[in-house]
Amino acid sequence: MATSLLPSSSSTMTFSSSSSSLFTGSSHAHALPTLSFVDNCRARVAPCSVKCDMSDSSNLPYGKPIIPVLNERTLPKFLESARAEKTVSRNSNRLKLFSGTANPVLSQEIARYMGLELGQISIKRFADGEIYVQLQESVRGCNVYLIQPTCPPANENLMELKIMIDACRRASAKNITAVIPYFGYARADRKTQGRESIAAKLVANLITKAGADRVLACDLHSGQSMGYFDIPVDHVHCQPVILDYLASKTISSSDLVVVSPDVGGVARARAFAKKLSDAPLAIVDKRRHGHNVAEVMNLIGDVKGKVAVMVDDMIDTAGTIAKGAALLHEEGAREVYACCTHAVFSPPAIERLSSGLFQEVIITNTIPVTEKNYFPQLTILTVANLLGETIWRIHDDSSVSSIFQ
């Protein structure tokens, strides 16, 4: 049976129409001396946001999250000046968007921002698990963008992406860009001990050999992963989306501290802190004894009486960030917020995140979050407009890095 690219009626998220935008808050982190957080996040709805139009929250094990709604042509305020200065052609001639089955909702949002329709494609699973892909329209001579994160199930989604690329190549597409909001296997980017594989390099080779001409990825786990590809890679940072959301809150900048959950994320947290009124930085020192197992040792920095914002690229089992939050509370932090781009949410992540350690958990929709993983402290921000703008710039041969300057 063919796998539909549209979510079934039982799983469709319906967003109410609104002229409000997540990114239209009056505050701006660069100019504001203060940022403010809502005191009672569990009972509140964020400004310019709505709840999912779904069944009663009593049917969900952890309650409903907050999912902000944005206008079709709105970018984060941190990017508005760059966009105004750089005029980009919106000529959709010879541009085709196709979605895999990994995250069709995000694909629809990207197409809506760009004012385009998703291309027609048939994706089937045979009884033995093999994947069949057929394009339902011509792509000869077109610039094709395939939107498919390699999120769990990673192997299924990765194989589907490669078959989609192969189908486009054999259909004489001019250029094929793999839009990978979440790049699976990115953590296997080096050898930490003998006789290990470097799976990130292997996956990069597989995508390249399948026929991709370019890759568009969001917040790779490490920058060196771009070097694993022998084709151009456009690396999009999703921080502006989260920064705009934080800038809509009101708390004195003197009460704010940005926390890196490990030493490896210091550069990411430092860049984040600079854009939050140059907030101070703290670091959680941890010692890892095995995969998905972390032990917090101590804290570098002062968080007593402050609002701590923990920043990471992803949350998997939430062991690192949960133990870090517990340490922050022990050190006297008033509130703890968790911010990440990729919500992998492997068990027992939901139990840890909803245990009361966090005032709010702020993520993006690079990976779809199922209803069973919703909990009241969860806030989901969309990166569709950011990715849509990047696709326009790639298609127009305009600068992508200028978006973030």
Side-chain angles (χ1 to χ4, degrees):
M1 181 179 292
T3 303
S4 172
L5 292 184
L6 298 176
S8 64
S9 57
S10 62
S11 62
T12 301
M13 290 184 185
T14 305
F15 300 98
S16 65
S17 60
S18 170
S19 60
S20 298
S21 165
L22 166 64
F23 306 132
T24 56
S26 59
S27 58
H28 192 296
H30 286 300
L32 266 188
T34 62
L35 300 169
S36 119
F37 291 80
V38 179
D39 290 334
N40 187 4
C41 287
R42 300 190 185 192
R44 61 91 175 93
V45 175
C48 305
S49 67
V50 297
K51 292 282 189 178
C52 288
D53 185 10
M54 299 181 300
S55 57
D56 188 354
S57 60
S58 60
N59 296 330
L60 302 175
Y62 299 101
K64 295 181 182 179
I66 292 171
I67 301 186
V69 174
L70 62 161
N71 289 334
E72 296 181 0
R73 291 291 186 272
T74 306
L75 282 174
K77 284 185 175 294
F78 286 95
L79 308 181
E80 282 181 354
S81 59
R83 183 185 175 189
E85 294 171 2
K86 304 290 183 179
T87 302
V88 179
S89 171
R90 298 298 192 271
N91 182 7
S92 61
N93 187 33
R94 296 292 183 179
L95 189 155
K96 298 280 188 179
L97 295 177
F98 291 95
S99 173
T101 60
N103 197 344
V105 174
L106 175 59
S107 301
Q108 292 165 0
E109 292 177 359
I110 293 172
R112 187 180 305 119
Y113 170 83
M114 299 181 69
L116 303 175
E117 295 290 335
L118 288 175
Q120 298 299 311
I121 185 172
S122 174
I123 301 177
K124 302 177 183 179
R125 296 290 196 279
F126 291 109
D128 62 354
E130 293 181 1
I131 302 170
Y132 170 83
V133 172
Q134 182 189 28
L135 303 177
Q136 302 288 296
E137 58 187 76
S138 174
V139 296
R140 185 178 297 273
C142 294
N143 294 321
V144 177
Y145 296 82
L146 305 175
I147 306 169
Q148 174 82 339
T150 53
C151 53
N155 298 333
E156 281 273 316
N157 290 328
L158 175 60
M159 193 65 195
E160 183 180 303
L161 172 62
K162 292 187 293 181
I163 296 175
M164 290 170 65
I165 294 171
D166 183 70
C168 292
R169 181 175 61 86
R170 296 179 187 278
S172 300
K174 182 179 180 180
N175 288 298
I176 303 170
T177 299
V179 182
I180 311 175
Y182 170 72
F183 181 62
Y185 288 101
R187 285 173 285 183
D189 57 0
R190 65 191 184 279
K191 292 180 68 173
T192 58
Q193 51 189 350
R195 299 177 296 281
E196 281 187 335
S197 70
I198 304 179
K201 171 60 176 173
L202 172 63
V203 171
N205 286 342
L206 292 172
I207 292 173
T208 303
K209 292 298 183 182
D213 298 296
R214 178 182 294 270
V215 167
L216 169 57
C218 296
D219 281 339
L220 292 170
H221 185 64
S222 55
Q224 66 262 29
S225 296
M226 288 186 287
Y228 294 158
F229 290 89
D230 296 324
I231 55 177
V233 177
D234 290 298
H235 190 200
V236 173
H237 302 280
C238 297
Q239 280 189 356
V241 176
I242 299 175
L243 286 167
D244 259 19
Y245 180 74
L246 292 176
S248 68
K249 299 175 178 290
T250 54
I251 187 173
S252 173
S253 58
S254 61
D255 290 338
L256 184 68
V257 59
V258 175
V259 181
S260 173
D262 54 36
V263 175
V266 171
R268 183 186 304 109
R270 184 186 296 116
F272 197 89
K274 283 185 177 180
K275 294 182 178 180
L276 281 180
S277 301
D278 202 15
L281 184 66
I283 304 167
V284 175
D285 176 37
K286 71 174 183 181
R287 305 294 171 89
R288 189 180 293 277
H289 298 288
H291 297 296
N292 296 329
V293 178
E295 179 182 354
V296 171
M297 301 300 292
N298 50 42
L299 179 69
I300 304 171
D302 180 28
V303 299
K304 188 173 183 179
K306 295 181 179 291
V307 174
V309 179
M310 302 188 73
V311 181
D312 209 348
D313 63 320
M314 70 175 70
I315 297 177
D316 189 355
T317 61
T320 296
I321 205 164
K323 290 184 178 181
L327 178 65
L328 293 176
H329 282 294
E330 291 175 4
E331 296 292 331
R334 190 167 80 243
E335 294 174 349
V336 178
Y337 288 75
C339 301
C340 85
T341 301
H342 309 299
V344 181
F345 286 177
S346 302
I350 304 304
E351 289 79 359
R352 289 169 171 169
L353 295 173
S354 59
S355 63
L357 289 172
F358 299 97
Q359 187 78 1
E360 189 172 4
V361 178
I362 304 166
I363 64 172
T364 72
N365 63 342
T366 56
I367 298 176
V369 181
T370 58
E371 292 184 8
K372 67 178 182 180
N373 288 336
Y374 289 169
F375 54 96
Q377 298 93 335
L378 182 65
T379 298
I380 304 174
L381 310 178
T382 182
V383 296
N385 291 7
L386 190 58
L387 288 174
E389 180 68 17
T390 304
I391 291 173
W392 272 130
R393 289 173 178 266
I394 294 172
H395 182 65
D396 189 50
D397 293 328
S398 299
S399 171
V400 172
S401 60
S402 63
I403 300 177
F404 305 96
Q405 293 174 356

